[in-house]
Amino acid sequence: MTTDTQTSRAVVEKFLERLGRQDPDGIQELFSEEIDWHVPGSGALRWTGRRTRREEVAPYFRTMWQHFAHGQSRVALERFIVDGGDVVLLAVFTHTAAPTGKRFTTPVAMHLAIKDGRIARMHLYEDTLTVAKAFDAC
């Protein structure tokens, strides 16, 4: 395993651990000052869209998590692929939309790019139509 691969794996393992603890400030500190962040979705879902600065990371998670019913989210990580500075996570997310009570499940791919020991890019790919329907946002 190359040093880049080892570093990338270690950073993403910290990311996953802090994500599991719902630690938005801890997650934010893993990111570069300037980031390429994209979570596609409906404009009605305030946490979707692009982010370009580290200080936007923690507010993203705080905003998103308040829209999910507490204790009713499940993440099934299926694959964790590391190639140098690129990491791809393949998972299935199941959540309940707090405002509607609708439960939804979506397959997810997340591409993270690690540069200088920090996450410089995070692109999330999921079934955005299913998410929007759960929130009655379409």
Side-chain angles (χ1 to χ4, degrees):
M1 200 180 308
T2 68
T3 302
D4 284 348
T5 298
Q6 291 170 329
T7 299
S8 296
R9 178 174 291 280
V11 169
V12 174
E13 285 173 349
K14 286 180 190 175
F15 172 78
L16 291 170
E17 185 268 327
R18 293 173 187 186
L19 190 62
R21 282 196 334 242
Q22 290 195 346
D23 175 7
D25 296 318
I27 294 167
Q28 179 171 287
E29 75 181 19
L30 297 173
F31 281 78
S32 300
E33 185 63 36
E34 294 182 12
I35 58 175
D36 173 12
W37 173 294
H38 188 221
V39 176
S42 166
L45 303 175
R46 296 183 341 201
W47 65 89
T48 62
R50 295 199 176 270
R51 308 287 190 279
T52 59
R53 309 286 304 157
R54 176 186 329 175
E55 60 267 13
E56 296 173 291
V57 173
Y60 163 87
F61 286 104
R62 285 188 189 101
T63 300
M64 180 186 66
W65 286 330
Q66 73 182 355
H67 287 85
F68 295 147
H70 183 71
Q72 295 186 35
S73 293
R74 300 288 174 262
V75 174
L77 182 62
E78 295 179 342
R79 300 266 189 286
F80 183 148
I81 304 161
V82 184
D83 182 14
D86 288 300
V87 180
V88 175
L89 303 174
L90 301 174
V92 176
F93 290 175
T94 300
H95 300 289
T96 300
T100 65
K102 293 181 182 177
R103 192 160 179 81
F104 65 96
T105 299
T106 177
V108 173
M110 183 183 296
H111 177 207
L112 300 165
I114 312 304
K115 184 176 179 186
D116 299 325
R118 297 212 178 259
I119 302 169
R121 176 183 186 180
M122 196 288 293
H123 286 200
L124 180 71
Y125 307 95
E126 65 183 347
D127 182 349
T128 56
L129 181 58
T130 294
V131 177
K133 283 181 178 179
F135 285 90
D136 291 335
C138 58

